[in-house]
Amino acid sequence: MVPFDELFQVPPLEAYHRVILAKDFVDTLAPQYWPLNKRKSFCHKIEEKPCTVDQDFFREFWDFVGVPDFSGSESVVGLRYEIDAASTWTERFPGKSFPVIALRGPPAPFPVPLSQWPLQKYLVWSDSIQRGGNTLIRKSFGTQPFLGIHLRNGIDWTRACDLLKEPRHGLKNLMASTQCLGENPLLAITMELCLPTKEAVIEQVTNILTRHNLKNVYIATDGDSYLMDFRQALPEVNFVHANPSIPQIDLYILGKGTVFIGNCPSSFSSFVRRERDVNGKPTLYFGLAEAHIHQEL
């Protein structure tokens, strides 16, 4: 885990809401406003001991921000995480008695609702991420424009897409596919959108490069980059697969491309799409004709 401000800037968030870094809160305010006897963990099942204790991932998070112990648990059964349900939370857990709501996971729906995409403008990359990304862009492409692509084809993704091979899967959307199909899609998610073939990927990249007169491509992937295949098919094009030490560098660079081709069900691609939308940059998807891409904002 890394502190939030190593990845994103805090001041832009303050234009939307009051914020404080978790570590700063724990170090400076928690001793007075959130003493140990008020440190309850919130979960759907009440247990004899705090419900974060036996959950390694959640325990790791609270240890990271400096909260090693909780005095008990509170049930959130019957409560919803949508914005219009805020009053039900404050009624059950008034601030004076429950100054902090310590949850086992993020209180947000998945995927990000389309109505909340404009909030992406408040999420600005940190100076260190921008420096790392810009350095890699200059080293790879100089000042020339480039196409960014996200290939999702690792083993875990392949298994998830295999659900679509079932003739009666009945899925209209899968994971973050609302980004290209919409929340009430007319078209259903397909194997071609989830896991396009190598041949289909190379063909679509070739067409987009020609249409936009681009000679540079940045590849981000969790699996096979098809780098040798790309170079064999398009020897005149500069293909770069940097595989940086942290995936946020890939996200930053994909957000800067002249054009971006993403993976329809991927939440990684969806993050890039939201950032590009608020900055007025175009996004395309593998396996989906440009005319069919869902546009809501």
Side-chain angles (χ1 to χ4, degrees):
M1 291 189 181
V2 297
F4 178 88
D5 56 339
E6 286 191 15
L7 301 177
F8 300 102
Q9 298 178 32
V10 174
L13 290 172
E14 295 172 335
Y16 179 72
H17 201 279
R18 294 167 296 166
V19 297
I20 185 173
L21 292 172
K23 184 66 174 171
D24 292 345
F25 172 80
V26 169
D27 290 345
T28 62
L29 299 178
Q32 178 179 355
Y33 296 102
W34 196 37
L36 181 58
N37 64 340
K38 288 189 175 183
R39 293 184 184 179
K40 303 293 183 67
S41 57
F42 290 70
C43 49
H44 286 274
K45 179 183 177 182
I46 288 295
E47 304 165 0
E48 294 182 0
K49 54 188 176 182
C51 56
T52 56
V53 170
D54 295 327
Q55 301 290 323
D56 290 341
F57 176 78
F58 305 116
R59 181 61 181 268
E60 180 184 355
F61 169 79
W62 288 107
D63 282 348
F64 179 76
V65 299
V67 182
D69 295 302
F70 290 86
S71 60
S73 298
E74 294 289 338
S75 173
V76 297
V77 171
L79 294 175
R80 296 182 297 112
Y81 294 119
E82 287 78 7
I83 294 174
D84 62 1
S87 61
T88 60
W89 284 79
T90 56
E91 289 171 7
R92 186 184 296 187
F93 304 115
K96 282 190 175 182
S97 302
F98 302 94
V100 174
I101 305 294
L103 297 167
R104 298 175 72 170
F110 175 83
V112 178
L114 299 176
S115 61
Q116 296 177 18
W117 280 21
L119 298 178
Q120 186 78 23
K121 68 181 180 181
Y122 300 106
L123 204 56
V124 179
W125 292 109
S126 68
D127 291 342
S128 61
I129 294 294
Q130 293 189 46
R131 281 194 301 271
N134 289 334
T135 297
L136 187 48
I137 290 173
R138 287 193 300 270
K139 179 180 177 181
S140 302
F141 311 124
T143 59
Q144 297 180 3
F146 66 94
L147 167 68
I149 66 173
H150 177 217
L151 303 178
R152 194 75 160 87
N153 54 28
I155 185 62
D156 64 322
W157 190 257
T158 301
R159 290 170 179 164
C161 294
D162 281 344
L163 292 171
L164 301 175
K165 293 180 180 179
E166 298 294 329
R168 297 184 180 180
H169 65 75
L171 294 173
K172 280 282 192 176
N173 270 316
L174 178 68
M175 292 173 282
S177 64
T178 55
Q179 65 178 311
C180 63
L181 297 177
E183 292 176 343
N184 298 291
L186 297 176
L187 299 174
I189 185 69
T190 64
M191 194 67 175
E192 291 73 23
L193 289 173
C194 193
L195 191 66
T197 65
K198 181 195 303 181
E199 293 74 20
V201 166
I202 293 175
E203 180 181 359
Q204 188 167 349
V205 167
T206 300
N207 291 338
I208 297 303
L209 289 172
T210 300
R211 185 185 310 171
H212 293 271
N213 194 28
L214 298 171
K215 295 295 183 182
N216 298 287
V217 179
Y218 184 86
I219 305 169
T221 183
D222 65 321
D224 192 341
S225 68
Y226 304 154
L227 189 59
M228 294 298 103
D229 302 279
F230 275 127
R231 288 174 174 170
Q232 183 175 359
L234 298 163
E236 74 281 4
V237 176
N238 174 30
F239 288 93
V240 175
H241 174 225
N243 195 26
S245 58
I246 57 174
Q248 287 79 10
I249 297 292
D250 273 343
L251 287 171
Y252 176 81
I253 293 175
L254 294 176
K256 293 295 183 183
T258 304
V259 184
F260 168 62
I261 310 178
N263 178 285
C264 176
S266 167
S267 57
F268 192 94
S269 283
S270 182
F271 185 100
V272 179
R273 165 73 186 275
R274 295 194 300 272
E275 180 172 353
R276 293 179 66 84
D277 271 17
V278 300
N279 290 310
K281 289 177 171 287
T283 295
L284 306 174
Y285 294 96
F286 286 111
L288 189 65
E290 188 170 355
H292 292 153
I293 295 176
H294 181 78
Q295 301 287 349
E296 183 142 326
L297 301 178

